[in-house]
Amino acid sequence: MADGRQITAPKPRRPGGRRPAPKTVWDAVRADYLAGLPAHECCRRHGVTIAALRSRAARNGWRRIDQPWTPANALDPSDEGVQLEQRSEGDLDRIDTGELVFVAHRRMLRCVLRGDAAGALRWRRVAQALEAEEAEMRRYLCQEEALNSMRLAEEADGGAWMRPTPGLPRPAADADPADSDTPNFAGADSADSATPNFSVGGETPA
């Protein structure tokens, strides 16, 4: 050149180099990114790097602040928890613990498929806590059922009649037998007996 600078040819692309994503991919990335999907999730879903996403978002003006507000914890309509809440019409008393265990297990599997190991571990702990609570409730119900069966068996055998009547004094366990009104003939002396002694021929029988 006239100014003495040399023109360097562009570096050839390495055989194993990464090709840029086509426009259709970036259109899908833009749609998901502006819809509120996290940047790392957009990159994982469409196979682009986080640096390329942030560079293109800054260059093309992808601003989430211009998008309609949505709750941060908005769930997908196909989520099992959303469907369970719709079936129960928001009444928590109609939801069984086993159904919550199913929801936690499905969300754990979804996190595994998305590569979210931390989320999978969190939902696994939630499922285990719900399973432990369900097992404790079952033990309690079994104990209550056993106690009710014992009460019914005692009432059928007449055990209820042997129980002290409420309001009446209970007899003392250490009462003295000498204070009892019932005469005790167990220790009576045979010599003091009032039974006449009939002897034959004036002789006292041996």
Side-chain angles (χ1 to χ4, degrees):
M1 295 183 62
D3 55 359
R5 290 183 301 176
Q6 296 181 357
I7 301 177
T8 57
K11 296 182 179 179
R13 185 181 300 274
R14 292 179 299 175
R18 188 182 180 89
R19 296 184 59 184
K23 183 178 182 301
T24 54
V25 173
W26 283 112
D27 290 342
V29 172
R30 178 181 181 277
D32 289 341
Y33 182 75
L34 294 180
L37 195 67
H40 68 275
E41 181 65 20
C42 293
C43 296
R44 187 205 62 81
R45 178 178 294 184
H46 301 287
V48 298
T49 62
I50 190 71
L53 171 59
R54 298 200 182 280
S55 175
R56 188 170 291 253
R59 186 170 63 251
N60 297 335
W62 297 353
R63 303 203 319 163
R64 289 180 175 178
I65 194 173
D66 298 333
Q67 305 305 312
W69 180 86
T70 55
N73 58 346
L75 296 174
D76 191 90
S78 61
D79 182 80
E80 291 78 12
V82 175
Q83 297 177 359
L84 177 59
E85 188 174 5
Q86 292 175 353
R87 290 197 304 269
S88 63
E89 298 179 352
D91 188 0
L92 299 181
D93 294 333
R94 295 172 53 185
I95 300 178
D96 187 68
T97 308
E99 295 176 320
L100 296 178
V101 173
F102 173 76
V103 171
H105 183 71
R106 299 288 288 186
R107 289 178 177 176
M108 180 192 69
L109 294 179
R110 192 172 291 110
C111 289
V112 171
L113 294 177
R114 292 177 178 176
D116 186 4
L121 291 176
R122 285 195 299 268
W123 284 114
R124 182 173 180 268
R125 287 194 294 269
V126 171
Q128 289 176 344
L130 291 172
E131 289 174 350
E133 182 178 353
E134 185 180 17
E136 184 66 24
M137 180 60 67
R138 287 179 179 176
R139 279 196 298 271
Y140 172 77
L141 294 177
C142 290
Q143 291 177 358
E144 284 293 318
E145 185 177 357
L147 290 176
N148 291 333
S149 300
M150 292 175 60
R151 294 191 189 100
L152 293 176
E154 289 179 0
E155 292 178 1
D157 294 340
W161 298 98
M162 300 178 63
R163 297 196 186 99
T165 305
L168 294 181
R170 182 173 298 182
D174 54 350
D176 191 357
D179 299 336
S180 176
D181 296 336
T182 305
N184 185 9
F185 299 101
D189 192 357
S190 58
D192 299 336
S193 177
T195 305
N197 185 9
F198 298 97
S199 58
V200 180
E203 297 180 358
T204 302

